[in-house]
Amino acid sequence: MVVYEYDFPGGISMDNVKFRAVVWILSEAFLILAIALNHLPPKWYSKVFKFALGLMMLDFFLVIIWLPIGASKTYGLRSTHDAFMTTYNGTGAPPAWNWILSFLFTAGTLTGFDAAGHIAEETKNASVIAARGLFTSAIATGVCGFLTMIVFLYCTPSFDVLFEFFAPQPFVQLYALALGKGGATFMTCLATLGLIINTSIAIVAASRLIYAVARDGVLPLSGWIGQVTPDGQPRNAVRVMYIFGAILLCTILPSNVAFTSLISAGGVPTIAAYGLIALLRLVLTPDAFKTSHYRLGKLGRPFYAIAVLFQGLVFAVDISPFFFPVTAAYFNYAPVIFGAATIFAILSWWFTPESRWLRTEHLKTTFDGADGLDEHERIKKPAAAEPSSVPPPVNPFQGAPASGN
């Protein structure tokens, strides 16, 4: 609508309730499409993953090749000085923190690489394949994200032109300015299709995490959520994701602030978890997991410390106000939502018996196996297992080794 200058009633703005209604309808439709892809036969997943990868690489190469060419032939590329040395303070924050707030978007590139771990139970030779997936995903997103950011720094028009963009997604108008209406339409459709398929892939990973929690009886209706189909697929966990996702999308209707706050809050637990894992590895188990195929050895502690510091910085950015002075219209609700979720988590930990969510004997077996102790050594030094009336979990994914998440 923006590219072809369609006159939408009330204007193309998230402040317009009619436009928000259109965005909500399309969002619900895209969610249904992403959920539907999760009902494909499991043997099709590999093809979907490869197709999604192809789309992302096509988008990436068009951005780093076609966009600079188009920008150079229209409004011109920015100079190196303008690309790297000029700043604009539109937040009202102190200059240093205004610069730090740029991590709000750039650091988001380095999230989601842990998806390979969530489907480890369905991965053959998971100790190698899943770990390699985590490692290569982090490297790929870091390198490609860095190159993309450099390209956009050079291809972004002057501040005067940039701040005239009024579309909810400014890159649409940037594409139109550099590539014309046809190019902008193609790039936007390509990005949209890629996001829909990537959402489906994210659901594949997240549904396995929900299933794993329900399997241990922690969630309400765990018996139903933890059920799987004859071919080992956690369909009910996928349906739970659809129900909650559809409800959360309804927050677009009353207020754009509420929806953007939920989106912002969604990234905070992920960043906090990344930092917490590194902190616990640094403090509690710096020399453990000796049989890991990707063990860092002496470099472990420095890397753990770097991860803790960087994730701490990103976490601080995510919960920071984005505009100063802080008003109700621009209040960042992410720390409020994260704090409420943390309180509920503490209450669940306090009132749920430990035998329901963390069986000592299974945890001991996992750590001993990671440290290279065989079954004979574990029998000689048995763990003081707590009594449990809950039977041990059975891997439902037929034909795949139970490697755990």
Side-chain angles (χ1 to χ4, degrees), residues 120-203:
E121 289 191 351
E122 299 171 86
T123 304
K124 295 180 180 180
N125 194 20
S127 62
V128 176
I129 302 301
R132 187 168 59 197
L134 293 170
F135 182 74
T136 55
S137 296
I139 296 297
T141 53
V143 173
C144 295
F146 177 77
L147 294 176
T148 303
M149 184 57 59
I150 297 299
V151 169
F152 273 101
L153 286 174
Y154 278 103
C155 295
T156 300
S158 64
F159 287 141
D160 293 337
V161 176
L162 181 64
F163 293 126
E164 290 180 356
F165 291 168
F166 57 89
Q169 292 292 344
F171 77 88
V172 175
Q173 289 180 278
L174 189 151
Y175 284 153
L177 200 62
L179 307 175
K181 293 182 179 180
T185 302
F186 176 78
M187 292 296 291
T188 303
C189 292
L190 179 63
T192 302
L193 180 60
L195 286 173
I196 292 173
I197 298 178
N198 288 344
T199 300
S200 177
I201 295 174
I203 293 171

Side-chain angles (χ1 to χ4, degrees), residues 311-326:
Q311 300 301 336
L313 174 63
V314 177
F315 179 82
V317 170
D318 285 344
I319 65 174
S320 166
F322 302 146
F323 296 96
F324 296 82
V326 180

